[in-house]
Amino acid sequence: MKKLFLVALCAVAFSACQNKTSEGKTTTTDSIASETPVIAEADAPKVQVEKAIYEFGEIKQGEKVSYEFKFKNVGKTPLIITNATATCGCTVPEYPSAPVKPGEEGVIKVIFDSAGKMGLQDKVVTVTSNANPAFEQLHLVGDVKEK
């Protein structure tokens, strides 16, 4: 019985890793990733972040902290940011939707709402882009004190 359960569990896990296309074909996640155009490393966009960690110091619970992380595309092709996510819903990143051309600068604005938070905080923002090497993680760090 245990072996049957294990085999069924493996079958479910394998089928969960497959996607159906609009034509009804089944493709694996690896084949979808291989359809994305790959830029040679020498020509890829490269990101230079001015300051990846912002220390906001001490704030009172309920206050909001806002910071703009500045960056520059020092690569040879346009930088396209496809997503920016934070570790929790209390931190909201805003990123440029237009490509950042080589030599140009951009900003990722991050707002942290300390309502319901106490103590030391390290809110991490992960940026997804076509940069090579990958975009650095951005951090908002500080201490939230009682009102």
Side-chain angles (χ1 to χ4, degrees), residues 46-51 68-75 77-81 94-109 135:
K46 291 180 180 65
V47 178
Q48 189 175 60
V49 178
E50 188 176 284
K51 183 177 179 181
E68 292 185 349
F69 290 94
K70 296 177 184 173
F71 65 89
K72 184 175 184 176
N73 179 2
V74 294
T77 55
L79 170 69
I80 300 169
I81 298 175
E94 296 175 10
Y95 58 91
S97 57
V100 179
K101 295 178 182 173
E104 288 187 355
E105 295 181 352
V107 170
I108 296 175
K109 182 178 180 180
F135 214 107

Side-chain angles (χ1 to χ4, degrees), residues 37-112:
V38 178
I39 300 172
E41 187 174 337
D43 295 331
K46 291 180 180 65
V47 178
Q48 189 175 60
V49 178
E50 188 176 284
K51 183 177 179 181
I53 299 173
Y54 173 64
E55 295 183 27
F56 59 83
E58 284 186 11
I59 60 171
K60 294 198 186 293
Q61 188 177 34
E63 290 182 25
K64 291 184 180 182
V65 174
S66 177
Y67 186 73
E68 292 185 349
F69 290 94
K70 296 177 184 173
F71 65 89
K72 184 175 184 176
N73 179 2
V74 294
K76 295 182 180 178
T77 55
L79 170 69
I80 300 169
I81 298 175
T82 55
N83 199 9
T85 57
T87 50
C88 76
C90 61
T91 307
V92 181
E94 296 175 10
Y95 58 91
S97 57
V100 179
K101 295 178 182 173
E104 288 187 355
E105 295 181 352
V107 170
I108 296 175
K109 182 178 180 180
V110 180
I111 300 170
F112 165 62

Side-chain angles (χ1 to χ4, degrees), residues 3-18:
K3 288 181 182 179
L4 182 61
F5 178 73
L6 184 59
V7 170
L9 184 63
C10 289
V12 170
F14 176 75
S15 65
C17 294
Q18 295 181 341

